[in-house]
């Protein structure tokens, strides 16, 4: 019942669908500044983005489309800083920042499975596999594959810290600084747990000797005669961590008074 009826006359290449892939981009930014005194002031800012779209447009109706998927980029950027003047010749500037980026990629079937919490394989009567994605069905014969594996959330978190102390001493303008960055990346994905099933001519051919010229992959699908099948079930989701640490000393020397 998920495969669409023909929209064009003929026995082959008889289905066509027109679809759009709109891109929406919403960005918002806010900032505040506050002076505690002539010596001490702070600032803070937040910037976010919500960027949903459907990649390439659908070639099949929901939920078995194999052409595109729902994608959304969500970003959060937070910055804060503190400036403090100790003396007319001694000044400190401190910054802290946090970045979070989510890249969400879900097929139509994965969104349906997530919203109602059901198992596609159980719904289709398939044993030995389980997942919220519709399984992948490949028919050959020039027929577009049904189903899409996209079902993941890529999460990238980053912390930023930097501080610089500026000191004017005689002819010297000295700057001491440090920079610390921490990054954490995780990919939460389980796109192929529902299984991938390939249907070929051999299962409905007159004989194996003439399977290249007889039989039909879609006929094998209608009979449930699978040529090959596979699934990938991750035991854990990988996570990458990185760190960057640096410091510097800079001296600008004034050689003459003019």
């Amino acid at each position: 019942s998920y495969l669409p009826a023909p929209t064009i006359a003929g026995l082959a290449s008889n289905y066509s669908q027109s679809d759009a892939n709109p891109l929406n981009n919403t960005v918002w930014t806010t900032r505040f500044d506050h002076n505690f005194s002539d010596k001490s002031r702070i600032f803070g800012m937040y910037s976010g983005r919500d960027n949903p779209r459907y990649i390439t447009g659908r070639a099949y109706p929901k939920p078995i489309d194999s052409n595109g998927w729902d994608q959304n980029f969500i970003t959060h950027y937070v910055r804060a800083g503190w400036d403090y003047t100790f003396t007319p010749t001694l000044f400190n500037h401190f910054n802290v920042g946090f970045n979070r980026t989510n890249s969400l990629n879900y097929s139509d079937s994965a969104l349906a499975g997530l919203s109602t919490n059901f198992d596609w394989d159980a719904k289709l009567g398939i044993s030995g596999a389980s997942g919220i994605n519709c399984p992948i069905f490949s028919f050959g014969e020039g027929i577009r594959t049904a189903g899409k594996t996209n079902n993941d959330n890529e999460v990238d978190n980053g912390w930023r810290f930097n501080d610089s102390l500026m000191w004017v001493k005689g002819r010297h303008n000295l700057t001491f600084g440090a920079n610390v960055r921490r990054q954490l990346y995780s990919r939460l994905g389980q796109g192929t747990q529902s299984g991938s099933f390939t249907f070929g001519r051999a299962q409905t051919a007159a004989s194996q000797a003439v399977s290249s010229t007889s039989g039909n992959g879609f006929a094998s699908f209608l009979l449930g005669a699978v040529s090959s099948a596979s699934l990938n079930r991750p035991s854990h989701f990988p996570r990458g961590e990185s760190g960057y640490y640096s410091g510097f000393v800079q001296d600008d020397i004034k050689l003459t008074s003019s």
Side-chain angles (χ1 to χ4, degrees):
S1 63
Y2 293 107
L3 291 171
T7 58
I8 304 171
L11 297 177
S13 301
N14 57 6
Y15 177 80
S16 176
Q17 174 170 315
S18 298
D19 197 18
N21 53 324
L23 170 64
N24 299 311
N25 192 21
T26 304
V27 179
W28 55 95
T29 301
T30 183
R31 175 185 170 115
F32 76 88
D33 294 87
H34 180 71
N35 293 338
F36 291 105
S37 67
D38 291 340
K39 290 187 174 184
S40 179
R41 61 179 181 267
I42 62 171
F43 83 91
M45 64 86 66
Y46 168 78
S47 180
R49 182 183 67 154
D50 187 14
N51 188 195
R53 62 174 176 167
Y54 195 85
I55 301 292
T56 72
R58 293 178 177 84
Y60 278 145
K62 294 181 179 182
I64 64 166
D65 180 42
S66 60
N67 195 49
W69 68 93
D70 283 281
Q71 182 184 75
N72 194 5
F73 287 111
I74 302 174
T75 59
H76 304 279
Y77 300 111
V78 181
R79 298 289 184 271
W82 179 31
D83 293 336
Y84 191 83
T85 303
F86 294 96
T87 70
T89 60
L90 188 61
F91 172 79
N92 191 79
H93 176 70
F94 174 74
N95 273 330
V96 60
F98 175 73
N99 308 328
R100 180 179 177 90
T101 303
N102 286 74
S103 176
L104 299 97
N105 298 272
Y106 294 107
S107 67
D108 288 330
S109 63
L111 289 174
L114 285 168
S115 64
T116 55
N117 194 30
F118 68 78
D119 181 343
W120 271 98
D121 293 274
K123 187 178 182 68
L124 297 174
I126 299 172
S127 61
S130 174
I132 62 170
N133 251 45
C134 180
I136 305 301
F137 299 105
S138 301
F139 315 108
E141 315 303 331
I143 302 173
R144 181 180 292 277
T145 298
K148 192 77 173 175
T149 62
N150 297 84
N151 179 14
D152 61 82
N153 180 9
E154 299 177 14
V155 185
D156 193 8
N157 294 317
W159 283 98
R160 306 288 186 265
F161 303 91
N162 60 73
D163 188 82
S164 57
L165 178 68
M166 286 154 276
W167 180 30
V168 179
K169 181 68 172 176
R171 292 185 174 185
H172 299 271
N173 291 332
L174 295 161
T175 305
F176 307 89
N179 192 348
V180 176
R181 305 176 192 176
R182 292 291 303 169
Q183 204 73 22
L184 173 62
Y185 174 81
S186 300
R187 185 179 185 275
L188 312 175
Q190 46 187 355
T192 55
Q193 291 191 104
S194 299
S196 299
F197 302 88
T198 300
F199 299 87
R201 290 185 171 192
Q203 284 66 42
T204 48
S207 70
Q208 296 302 303
V210 292
S211 61
S212 62
T213 56
S214 68
N216 184 281
F218 196 76
S220 300
F221 165 73
L222 293 176
L223 294 175
V226 180
S227 174
S228 63
S230 64
L231 65 82
N232 179 15
R233 181 166 294 168
S235 59
H236 71 285
F237 298 122
R239 183 167 69 174
E241 296 184 57
S242 65
Y244 173 86
Y245 311 92
S246 66
F248 71 92
V249 176
Q250 178 179 317
D251 185 8
D252 295 329
I253 303 173
K254 192 172 184 180
L255 299 178
T256 65
S257 59
S258 58

